[in-house]
Amino acid sequence: MTAPASQSPAPRSPESRASDGEALRERALTTLVTARERTTLLTTCVEDPDLTAQHSPLMSPLVWDLAHIGNQEELWLLRAVAGRDAIRPEIDGLYDAFEHPRSERPSLPLLPPAEARAYAAEVRGRALDVLESADFHGTRLTEAGFAFGMIAQHEQQHDETMLITHQLRTGPPALTAPDPDPAPLFTGPAEVLVPGGPFTMGATAEPWALDNELPAHEREVAPFHIDTTPVTNAAYQAFIEDGGYDDERWWAPRGWAHVRAHSLRAPLFWRRDGKQWLRRRFGVTEVVPPDEPVLHVCWYEADAYARWAGRRLPTEAEWEKAARHDPATGGSRRYPWGDADPGPEHANLGQRHLRPAPAGSYPQGESPLGVRQLIGDVWEWTASDFQPYPGFRAFPYKEYSEVFFGPDHKVLRGGSFAVDPVACRGTFRNWDLPIRRQIFAGFRTARSGAV
C-alpha cells in the first residue's frame, strides 16, 4: 500500500541521501539513453526526404520532432536547471508546439536532418554533464531528479508520436520487431466486478509524476463491472457487420455527424477484401487478427460500440480503481501487478513489438481483481472529459496540462505497445480529441451495478 499523500518521509542520513542520489542519477541516465536510442532508430530508419516530408496534416515532419526534443531538453536541463546560456535561441519559436500548429510546420525554416541531429546530440552531451553533478534537492524542479524524468518522458512521448507518423507513412516497411509471444485463446470470465467504495486516485510516492496526476485524493466509486480484456477485433467486426456504422441509435450526436461527414465504415487502416478485413500496419498489409484488441478507433466509435453492446465506457475513476485498487489491503498500487517497474512478463510496452498482444495475454500483469492488459497494448478511451484533480497546480508550465482541461478532450488510460515504461503507470493520464483515430487507441467497456 502506498503511503498517504500527507505523510512526511522520515529524515535520512547524509550517507543515505548520497546513495539515493546515485540511484536517481543512474535511473535518469538510463531513461535518457533509452529514449535517445529509440529516437535515433525512428529517425535513421528512413531517408532524409521522409524526415522532412509531412506524412499527414495531423502530424509534424519527423525532423521537427527530432529538433523539438533537443530544444525542450536545452530549455529545461541546460537553461532552467543548470542556468546556462542558450545554444540556439533563434530556433526557440520554431520548436514551440503552441506557436505553430502541425499543419504549418513543414513551411517553417526547420533545421535540416543533419543539423537537427547535431543540435540534439550537442544538447544531450551537455545535459549529461549537468546530470553528472546534479543536486537532486533544493527546488521542486530538481527534487528527486524530476526535470530529468520529465525530459525522458517528453522524449518518449514524442517517440510514440513519431511512431504514429511511421504508421501513417506510405511505402515499404521501415521498422521491424518480433511479434508478441503466442497466447492461448483467453477463456476466462468476460467481465470482473469492481466493488464499490473509496480508493486513492492519483499519484502519491511517484517522484516523476506529472502535474495532472496530482494531487492524490480519495474518490468514491459505485460497484461496476468492467471487461476483463480490451475489446477485440472480432468483437468490433460484429458491430460493423450488424450495421453499427449505419444506425444512428448508437452514436452521440456529434459522433454521428462525424461518421456521416467522413464516411467512416471501420477502424482507420482497415479495408474490406471480399469476405475478410485487411489492415495496413507499418507498411505491411495483413488480415485483421481476430484476437487482438481493436486499434485506431476514435472515442465516438468506442462509445457507439459500447452502446450497441448494451454497455458503456468506464469513467476515468472506474478505470483507475480497476487498475490500482487492492481489496486485500485497501491501498492503491503503482501498477495492476504491484509496485515493481514493468517487465516483459507484465505488459507489452516500449515498442518491443509493433502490435498489440492477443487479448488475455500477460497473466502476470493482471490486477488483484483479475483484469488484464490494463497497461500496454492499446490506450483505452474512457467516458471522462480531461479535468484537473481537486487542488491541481500547474507545474512546471501550464501548457503541459492546464490549457487542455475541459469538455473538448477525452481521457485515455493505460498506454499502448508504443509507450515506454517511463511514461506509463497506473496514474498516468493521456488525452485527445474524440475524433482522433491515428493514435494507438482501443477501449474496454463497463456496466453499472454489482449484479
Side-chain angles (χ1 to χ4, degrees):
M1 179 177 178
T2 52
S6 59
Q7 181 174 315
S8 299
R12 303 181 66 82
S13 67
E15 295 80 6
S16 178
R17 288 182 60 176
S19 175
D20 288 349
E22 289 311 305
L24 284 168
R25 209 177 314 279
E26 182 62 30
R27 183 187 180 204
L29 176 63
T30 299
T31 55
L32 288 169
V33 168
T34 298
R36 188 51 50 88
E37 288 174 347
R38 186 179 178 195
T39 300
T40 301
L41 170 65
L42 291 165
T43 55
T44 57
C45 64
V46 292
E47 299 296 328
D48 284 1
D50 271 329
L51 294 180
T52 57
Q54 186 175 45
H55 299 283
S56 166
L58 298 173
M59 312 304 291
S60 307
L62 292 168
V63 74
W64 185 93
D65 287 287
L66 173 60
H68 171 76
I69 286 168
N71 187 245
Q72 287 293 295
E73 189 165 325
E74 182 191 351
L75 287 171
W76 290 104
L77 300 188
L78 302 189
R79 301 187 206 174
V81 171
R84 297 187 180 181
D85 292 336
I87 298 174
R88 299 282 301 267
E90 75 279 5
I91 69 172
D92 287 353
L94 294 176
Y95 298 103
D96 184 333
F98 286 87
E99 192 166 326
H100 302 284
R102 288 174 174 175
S103 60
E104 293 180 2
R105 291 171 190 171
S107 64
L108 299 174
L110 303 178
L111 300 182
E115 198 171 342
R117 290 190 186 100
Y119 170 65
E122 180 180 3
V123 171
R124 173 51 57 90
R126 298 188 187 191
L128 294 183
D129 289 342
V130 172
L131 175 61
E132 190 173 338
S133 59
D135 180 4
F136 299 124
H137 304 280
T139 70
R140 187 176 173 191
L141 193 60
T142 57
E143 184 69 30
F146 174 81
F148 297 93
M150 177 184 72
I151 286 300
Q153 291 179 81
H154 173 266
E155 182 162 353
Q156 288 286 4
Q157 288 170 316
H158 274 272
D159 287 341
E160 182 176 11
T161 299
M162 288 194 285
L163 190 63
I164 292 170
T165 302
H166 275 281
Q167 168 63 8
L168 290 162
R169 169 187 165 272
T170 59
L175 295 165
T176 60
D179 286 342
D181 292 336
L185 184 67
F186 180 71
T187 57
E191 63 179 7
V192 168
L193 171 64
V194 180
F199 81 105
T200 299
M201 186 172 185
T204 51
E206 194 69 57
W208 292 356
L210 302 173
D211 61 3
N212 61 61
E213 300 172 68
L214 302 168
H217 58 286
E218 187 174 281
R219 189 72 68 95
E220 185 82 21
V221 173
F224 68 99
H225 289 79
I226 192 168
D227 289 341
T228 308
T229 71
V231 170
T232 64
N233 288 322
Y236 198 84
Q237 284 179 39
F239 168 67
I240 298 173
E241 303 303 333
D242 195 45
Y245 281 87
D246 298 311
D247 195 332
E248 187 176 358
R249 287 180 298 166
W250 313 129
W251 298 86
R254 289 184 179 178
W256 180 247
H258 183 71
V259 164
R260 298 293 94 191
H262 297 275
S263 301
L264 303 188
R265 308 294 303 173
L268 187 61
F269 307 115
W270 286 29
R271 66 178 176 86
R272 175 89 74 171
D273 181 33
K275 294 184 178 181
Q276 65 182 355
W277 284 99
L278 303 179
R279 72 176 181 188
R280 180 169 59 82
R281 182 180 60 83
F282 298 106
V284 175
T285 298
E286 60 189 15
V287 175
V288 171
D291 298 330
E292 279 187 14
V294 68
L295 192 64
H296 296 302
V297 290
C298 70
W299 184 90
Y300 291 125
E301 290 169 294
D303 179 63
Y305 172 93
R307 294 169 190 253
W308 170 82
R311 297 169 70 83
R312 58 177 175 79
L313 296 179
T315 67
E316 182 182 13
E318 287 174 334
W319 188 97
E320 187 167 325
K321 184 168 187 179
R324 300 184 62 217
H325 180 65
D326 186 346
T329 65
S332 291
R333 300 175 166 194
R334 291 179 69 210
Y335 299 98
W337 55 85
D339 293 341
D341 289 340
E345 71 279 12
H346 295 129
N348 180 8
L349 293 167
Q351 202 180 309
R352 193 170 65 248
H353 311 295
L354 289 172
R355 64 195 308 154
S361 297
Y362 305 106
Q364 294 184 63
E366 71 179 20
S367 75
L369 295 169
V371 189
R372 294 196 181 182
Q373 289 169 287
L374 286 156
I375 299 292
D377 286 307
V378 295
W379 285 107
E380 298 184 14
W381 288 109
T382 73
S384 300
D385 297 337
F386 185 45
Q387 299 287 3
Y389 289 161
F392 167 85
R393 292 185 178 182
F395 178 81
Y397 56 103
K398 67 179 182 179
E399 288 82 6
Y400 179 70
S401 302
E402 185 175 325
V403 297
F404 296 101
F405 290 145
D408 292 339
H409 294 85
K410 295 293 186 181
V411 173
L412 301 106
R413 286 302 203 103
S416 71
F417 64 87
V419 175
D420 186 82
V422 75
C424 183
R425 47 195 164 264
T427 59
F428 193 93
R429 308 174 74 195
N430 191 8
W431 64 94
D432 214 325
L433 298 171
I435 62 172
R436 290 290 183 248
R437 308 209 300 164
Q438 82 277 14
I439 59 178
F440 300 116
F443 63 99
R444 72 181 74 214
T445 68
R447 66 180 177 92
S448 302
V451 180

